[in-house]
Amino acid sequence: MKKLNKPDMKNKFLLEGVLPLKAPFTSEIIAGLILAAVGIPEVMGYAKIAGMPVITGLYTILLPIAIFAIFCSSRHLIVGADSATAAILSGTLVSIAAIGSPNYIALASTVALLCAVFLVMARVLRLGFIADFMSRTVLIGFLSGVGVQVAVSQLANMLGISGEGGLNTIPQLINVFTHLFQINAYTLILSAIVVAVIIGTRRISHKIPGALIAVVVTVIASFLFNFQAIGISILGNIPSGLPNFGIPAVDINILPNLMITVVTCFIVILSQSTATARAFTIRYSESVDEDKDIFALGLANGVAGLTGTFVVNGSPTKTEIVDDAGSRTQAASLITAFAVFIVLLFMTKAMSFLPNATLAGIVFVIGITMIDISHLKDIRHKVKSEYFLAIITAATVVVMGVLWGILLSIILSIILHLSHSYMPTNSIFTKNKKGVWSFEPVKVGRSTEEGLLIYRFNRDLYFANSDKLKEEVLKLVKGADPPLKLFVLNTAGFSRVDYTSAEMFKDLYRELKERNIKFALTSMLPDLKDQFDHLGLTRLIGEENIYENVLEALSAYESGNY
């Protein structure tokens, strides 16, 4: 293996996107510091959502973010703690261990390690396409429901009353309404100010770290004016220093109980990270190796699991923040990691004075932001049936919890996919109103010419929809006037067939033959033709009855040479 000299090593990191190539290094430093300023309070909030100690949130943007920056191919994607995966953790692990307990923390780290295994396997087996099976519609509904849960879960801390743990929306609301007389006015005022500062600064500019301003100001005020004396609770002791390395201590027999959590986090990590990386790749007309990014996500989650924190994910908000700040490489991620390193060594004592109401206000805004009203309106306007799927998913998460929402979102995504393939809108080759040959929607009684029907099935053909093709063709045959002499199936809409489809073709061929209708094919892809040869369909139909395209089939019929 060739040993890289110093110039070669520099070029290697330039190519990997770690060192700046298109942007000045000062822009990377500024972007990294802005990300640290915005991200530190944010990941503390995500840790709270996940039911983890707040310090573990900082761990997610220490080594995991740095490892991903070094090994990924994307110049833009930023990883760290994420609201969706954090909510999945607390919504599922709470049934196994008490939130915040040592066992719970170990389970959360184990989930990160198992996600790492799944991601590395996805890279080796090239399973990145799995990300495409999480419907965007259902994902928007799921995240919006989680947003409601997250926001409601913080009301007790924002009001200064005793609260229920976890993300159980209905019990949380009942608890708030039954303890309204216990509201601490100072806590409520502080929470309102924090929320106002964060929302207000965002409206001015996303570059202004409103959450950091709220944290710094309330920490100083808490230290100077002894907030605890007036009933405002604070975080208390936070461990300083770097995280410890080690494999989490969990009972191996409990691993099967974690699989739903792991698989769901794995799918969300894949879908959200891939979608974000693709968006920025398109924005800057760059190329990206998705398999390499999946491997880097695996390494980042592996490090997260070994350092006592929870799963990390490609973050759209963090990625947008550094891009808006002028970053064009992963150097900004390394700057952020260094800033977090400094905070962990020297600033955790000051963080112990942070009021719980401040953190609750930050998390509350995160929850409200997750409720994607704009996209829900867009879906309702464009595809109303999918809008109802999103609403049902959101309502399930809010009422029944994250676990049921996860299961429903996966089931609905599969149903949505199957519904499109099961009931395709097929076509007949005919002249349109302008007298131009084109494929028009299927209509009984419509034909290509007298005695000729050229028909196209517009979806992949498989066991679930093969009978739909047969039923529709026979309905068209019966409705043809005058009767058909030649039926031509345009196969451009599908690339492969399964055993059930092959048997259906044999049945269709026999039924057409009984009606004295010749069966022909056109526009076959090479792979499909090879399959037909192997399955004996080419021999049955006849090589001479397979045409290159629809015009050749039309010409053969018109000339009587068919």
Side-chain angles (χ1 to χ4, degrees):
M1 182 177 178
K2 181 183 175 184
K3 184 177 180 180
L4 296 175
N5 56 31
K6 289 185 178 179
D8 289 333
M9 187 64 73
K10 181 179 179 182
N11 290 334
K12 177 180 184 294
F13 283 110
L14 284 172
L15 290 172
E16 298 297 335
V18 175
L19 295 180
L21 184 64
K22 296 182 179 179
F25 192 62
T26 51
S27 296
E28 301 299 325
I29 294 174
I30 293 169
L33 293 176
I34 289 175
L35 177 59
V38 175
I40 287 173
E42 187 179 69
V43 295
M44 291 169 66
Y46 292 154
K48 190 173 178 65
I49 294 171
M52 297 283 283
V54 292
I55 196 68
T56 62
L58 271 66
Y59 295 164
T60 67
I61 51 174
L62 180 65
L63 290 178
I65 193 175
I67 291 295
F68 181 81
I70 293 169
F71 290 98
C72 72
S73 71
S74 172
R75 293 182 174 277
H76 308 279
L77 184 64
I78 305 296
V79 303
D82 178 71
S83 54
T85 45
I88 291 167
L89 284 174
S90 61
T92 54
L93 297 185
V94 68
S95 62
I96 305 174
I99 284 181
S101 67
N103 189 33
Y104 183 95
I105 295 168
L107 289 173
S109 297
T110 302
V111 170
L113 284 176
L114 291 174
C115 282
V117 173
F118 274 52
L119 288 162
V120 172
M121 286 174 58
R123 164 63 183 91
V124 173
L125 301 176
R126 297 185 179 277
L127 300 178
F129 67 89
I130 292 175
D132 299 326
F133 282 87
M134 176 64 85
S135 160
R136 183 173 177 81
T137 301
V138 174
L139 187 60
I140 288 170
F142 174 74
L143 293 178
S144 296
V146 170
V148 173
Q149 275 199 323
V150 168
V152 170
S153 71
Q154 300 308 306
L155 292 178
N157 283 330
M158 293 174 69
L159 298 174
I161 61 181
S162 58
E164 296 266 339
L167 297 176
N168 300 313
T169 308
I170 305 301
Q172 291 276 3
L173 287 174
I174 293 173
N175 176 70
V176 168
F177 284 117
T178 55
H179 291 82
L180 286 177
F181 60 91
Q182 295 179 359
I183 289 176
N184 182 289
Y186 296 110
T187 302
L188 174 59
I189 293 169
L190 178 62
S191 300
I193 292 172
V194 169
V195 171
V197 168
I198 296 171
I199 294 176
T201 52
R202 282 185 182 180
R203 289 189 175 182
I204 297 170
S205 173
H206 280 278
K207 292 182 180 181
I208 302 174
L212 182 66
I213 293 171
V215 167
V216 171
V217 171
T218 56
V219 164
I220 294 172
S222 174
F223 175 75
L224 293 177
F225 302 110
N226 189 14
F227 276 5
Q228 282 185 294
I230 54 174
I232 299 177
S233 65
I234 62 175
L235 289 182
N237 183 51
I238 296 177
S240 61
L242 303 178
N244 296 319
F245 272 86
I247 297 174
V250 296
D251 183 356
I252 195 169
N253 294 318
I254 209 168
L255 295 184
N257 297 337
L258 301 178
M259 282 302 107
I260 290 179
T261 308
V262 173
V263 170
T264 308
C265 286
F266 166 70
I267 293 173
V268 171
I269 290 168
L270 267 185
S271 57
Q272 188 166 297
S273 301
T274 302
T276 304
R278 286 175 183 171
F280 282 85
T281 297
I282 293 169
R283 180 182 296 184
Y284 292 102
S285 301
E286 297 172 347
S287 60
V288 66
D289 184 345
E290 289 186 356
D291 287 329
K292 190 171 184 178
D293 285 347
I294 290 170
F295 181 71
L297 282 165
L299 294 180
N301 275 282
V303 170
L306 293 173
T307 53
T309 187
F310 51 101
V311 291
V312 294
N313 189 11
S315 169
T317 54
K318 294 182 184 68
T319 304
E320 187 64 51
I321 286 168
V322 295
D323 182 77
D324 194 43
S327 170
R328 297 296 178 267
T329 77
Q330 287 289 345
S333 294
L334 300 180
I335 298 297
T336 299
F338 180 74
V340 173
F341 174 79
I342 298 300
V343 169
L344 287 170
L345 288 183
F346 305 109
M347 299 182 185
T348 54
K349 186 173 182 180
M351 288 167 56
S352 66
F353 290 96
L354 179 67
N356 282 307
T358 301
L359 195 54
I362 293 170
V363 176
F364 177 81
V365 174
I366 290 171
I368 295 299
T369 305
M370 290 175 70
I371 305 171
D372 201 343
I373 300 296
S374 61
H375 276 108
L376 287 171
K377 285 182 177 178
D378 190 50
I379 295 169
R380 183 181 63 180
H381 176 69
K382 293 177 178 177
V383 190
K384 189 159 286 188
S385 60
E386 293 193 25
Y387 167 74
F388 288 119
L389 290 180
I391 294 299
I392 289 169
T393 304
T396 302
V397 172
V398 171
V399 176
M400 300 182 67
V402 171
L403 180 59
W404 285 104
I406 290 166
L407 295 174
L408 184 67
S409 65
I410 293 172
I411 291 169
L412 288 180
S413 291
I414 293 171
I415 291 173
L416 200 59
H417 168 70
L418 292 177
S419 67
H420 290 310
S421 61
Y422 181 68
M423 301 182 67
T425 302
N426 303 315
S427 311
I428 294 174
F429 190 63
T430 186
K431 286 186 178 180
N432 60 22
K433 294 179 180 179
K434 297 180 180 179
V436 178
W437 286 106
S438 65
F439 280 99
E440 299 292 317
V442 166
K443 182 180 179 182
V444 176
R446 176 176 284 169
S447 59
T448 304
E449 286 191 356
E450 289 188 1
L452 170 66
L453 177 64
I454 299 178
Y455 167 90
R456 185 172 71 190
F457 192 78
N458 291 322
R459 284 289 185 273
D460 277 331
L461 193 61
Y462 66 112
F463 64 90
N465 63 11
S466 59
D467 278 341
K468 290 288 180 183
L469 184 152
K470 179 183 171 183
E471 290 170 9
E472 189 167 59
V473 168
L474 292 177
K475 190 181 292 184
L476 291 170
V477 167
K478 290 175 182 177
D481 186 24
L484 294 180
K485 299 176 183 177
L486 176 64
F487 170 77
V488 181
L489 174 64
N490 182 292
T491 64
F494 54 93
S495 57
R496 297 186 66 80
V497 293
D498 59 8
Y499 179 80
T500 303
S501 304
E503 293 301 302
M504 178 275 299
F505 276 125
K506 293 176 184 178
D507 293 341
L508 181 60
Y509 173 83
R510 282 190 289 268
E511 295 207 32
L512 292 177
K513 188 175 182 180
E514 288 174 1
R515 291 175 168 82
N516 296 316
I517 301 171
K518 183 167 281 188
F519 186 12
L521 303 169
T522 184
S523 309
M524 295 189 77
L525 294 171
D527 286 348
L528 183 62
K529 178 63 167 57
D530 290 343
Q531 262 202 306
F532 269 55
D533 292 345
H534 178 71
L535 294 166
L537 294 173
T538 302
R539 184 173 62 255
L540 178 69
I541 296 169
E543 190 80 49
E544 70 280 4
N545 294 318
I546 299 178
Y547 300 100
E548 286 291 325
N549 51 58
V550 290
L551 295 178
E552 184 180 80
L554 179 62
S555 176
Y557 178 76
E558 289 177 340
S559 66
N561 186 26
Y562 65 92

